[in-house]
Amino acid sequence: MYIYGLGWLQAVIEKTNVDPSEVGDIVVGTVLAPGSQRASECRMAAFYAGFPETVPVRTVNRQCSSGLQAVADVAAAIKAGFYDIGIGAGLESMTVNPMAWEGSVNPKVKAFEQAQNCLLPMGVTSENVAHRFGVTRKEQDQAAVDSHRKAAAATAAGKFKDEIIPVATKIVDPKTGDEKPVTISVDDGIRPNTSVSELAKLKPVFKKDGTTTAGNSSQVSDGAGAVLLMKRSVAMRKGLPILGVFRTFAAVGVDPAIMGVGPAVAIPAAVKSAGLQLDDIDLFEINEAFASQFVYCRNKLGLDPEKINVNGGALAIGHPLGTTGARCVATLLHEMKRRGRDCRFGVISMCIGTGMGAAAVFERGDCADELCNVRKVESNNFLSKDVL
């Protein structure tokens, strides 16, 4: 049994000085572990982190968007008045719980193509996107290089320090069994020296003549993250800094065979729900499950590359499935804070296995205190007589 909690949950309380007994609910996005066991582990983790027995815990699983779904669920509960303070979190250990189907499959699935496509390996859906929409191998490898380069630069500049909690753990030599204590304080999947020419040497993994490789796919990763949400009035009364305002959330369905296109559908839905247009969004965090789907979504929406994953993405940082949504919230809001008044709205989005997409819109925290339009309103200087 693996119990997670001494870092990611405890740090929320330690960094904010919030009374843990005031938390109305802890919602944890998690994907691969057996549901009932992971729910029990999260309950135990809350106790280890110092939460009293009065604070409930539950898990949520919407595949790769589970962490973002947890945040959205907490935001919706606060808005509904169920409680004033909640934690939306995510965790995944892909080394302990690898991606695999357990048990048999109902033979009737073969009679329904879309149901059958829900069983496709994610890498095959990546190949489908690349083939159907003409995303080249070179484009994919370049996206991977860009992700690693930006993540390495952000790490060197210390941009992730405010969103990473150092974790003291140990590594075990597989040959001797010797244990060595270590402290993990940076993402260890970033390869700053990777290049297109080096990635071009890698063989396709999922299709003989395909384009999806280990180099242009997200890594097998472990990780956890947590986001503290509360009513704005409560945060102000407690004197807490407000990094961002949760505006809208949208989850959509797409063809399971090309599940990676999800963000291209979910982003416009979430942005429209917020009363905005794509041009109003200053920053995007789009999960890089595979370079093929990332490149497609970026091109399909016509987004400015300078606004997307400015500190790298999952191709470099990794994609621990249940964690990604919560991690992206931290990355987005800290970058929006650094950019200040030049950055008002941000979007987080990801594709979802079995054919879905999710997206959420955030506004920089201090913007909500200002009365201002999203876009400049042109004045026609009409007089009353001109209207008649």
Side-chain angles (χ1 to χ4, degrees):
M1 178 184 294
Y2 294 80
I3 301 176
Y4 308 84
L6 292 181
W8 57 295
L9 281 179
Q10 191 175 48
V12 173
I13 301 304
E14 292 179 346
K15 295 188 73 172
T16 61
N17 290 319
V18 168
D19 182 347
S21 67
E22 292 185 289
V23 175
D25 201 2
I26 301 172
V27 183
V28 184
T30 182
V31 179
L32 297 176
S36 59
Q37 178 174 319
R38 178 48 52 84
S40 296
E41 289 174 346
C42 289
R43 175 67 165 158
M44 290 184 278
F47 288 138
Y48 270 93
F51 289 87
E53 63 186 28
T54 54
V55 178
V57 178
R58 71 174 172 90
T59 58
V60 61
N61 186 347
R62 198 197 289 270
Q63 307 281 49
C64 304
S65 71
S66 297
L68 184 60
Q69 186 68 58
V71 172
D73 285 1
V74 171
I78 292 174
K79 185 175 182 179
F82 296 162
Y83 48 78
D84 291 342
I85 303 174
I87 294 174
L91 73 87
E92 207 72 59
S93 178
M94 298 178 75
T95 55
V96 174
N97 304 113
M99 297 180 68
W101 182 275
E102 295 185 7
S104 60
V105 178
N106 190 318
K108 291 184 178 180
V109 166
K110 295 181 179 179
F112 297 90
E113 182 180 2
Q114 286 183 310
Q116 191 169 5
N117 286 342
C118 290
L119 299 173
L120 288 174
M122 294 298 95
V124 173
T125 70
S126 170
E127 291 288 5
N128 290 344
V129 170
H131 176 73
R132 189 175 302 188
F133 302 107
V135 183
T136 67
R137 169 71 181 270
K138 186 174 182 180
E139 285 180 301
Q140 295 174 60
D141 288 348
Q142 184 62 59
V145 169
D146 292 342
S147 186
H148 283 280
R149 174 181 54 80
K150 290 186 286 188
T155 300
K159 290 186 176 181
F160 294 137
K161 285 185 177 180
D162 289 339
E163 58 185 272
I164 292 180
I165 304 301
V167 175
T169 184
K170 62 184 178 182
I171 56 175
V172 180
D173 190 311
K175 294 182 179 180
T176 65
D178 293 340
E179 296 182 358
K180 177 183 178 182
V182 295
T183 298
I184 307 299
S185 58
V186 296
D187 294 298
D188 57 6
I190 301 170
R191 302 188 298 275
N193 296 320
T194 192
S195 65
V196 172
S197 60
E198 287 298 314
L199 292 182
K201 299 176 183 178
L202 298 176
K203 294 181 179 180
V205 179
F206 301 97
K207 187 178 178 183
K208 186 176 181 180
D209 58 345
T211 57
T212 299
T213 71
N216 57 37
S217 306
S218 58
Q219 313 151 23
V220 172
S221 302
D222 295 347
V227 179
L228 179 65
L229 298 99
M230 64 182 69
K231 288 180 64 175
R232 186 177 186 84
S233 59
V234 174
M236 294 178 70
R237 186 171 69 246
K238 291 180 175 294
L240 291 171
I242 300 172
L243 281 177
V245 180
F246 186 96
R247 286 303 183 197
T248 59
F249 171 80
V252 301
V254 298
D255 182 351
I258 50 171
M259 67 91 200
V261 306
V265 182
I267 290 174
V271 170
K272 181 179 180 180
S273 178
L276 303 172
Q277 298 176 6
L278 283 176
D279 289 343
D280 298 320
I281 308 303
D282 302 296
L283 277 181
F284 294 86
E285 283 290 328
I286 301 177
N287 187 44
E288 301 166 349
F290 296 94
S292 61
Q293 55 85 209
F294 169 74
V295 171
Y296 166 78
C297 292
R298 180 190 66 193
N299 295 346
K300 175 65 176 179
L301 296 177
L303 303 180
D304 181 354
E306 296 300 315
K307 292 183 176 182
I308 312 172
N309 299 355
V310 296
N311 294 315
L315 292 170
I317 297 171
H319 173 32
L321 307 184
T323 307
T324 290
R327 194 279 298 172
C328 285
V329 173
T331 301
L332 176 73
L333 294 184
H334 280 94
E335 183 60 30
M336 291 175 73
K337 178 183 177 181
R338 280 190 290 269
R339 297 190 175 211
R341 293 183 177 276
D342 292 332
C343 186
R344 182 176 177 186
F345 293 105
V347 163
I348 293 167
S349 186
M350 63 280 294
C351 58
I352 303 171
T354 70
M356 289 177 280
V361 178
F362 291 82
E363 186 174 5
R364 202 180 76 249
D366 56 354
C367 283
D369 293 325
E370 303 174 356
L371 292 175
C372 57
N373 293 305
V374 176
R375 293 175 293 280
K376 182 179 179 182
V377 177
E378 299 293 341
S379 173
N380 292 310
N381 295 318
F382 285 144
L383 299 174
S384 58
K385 63 182 179 67
D386 298 320
V387 181
L388 302 176

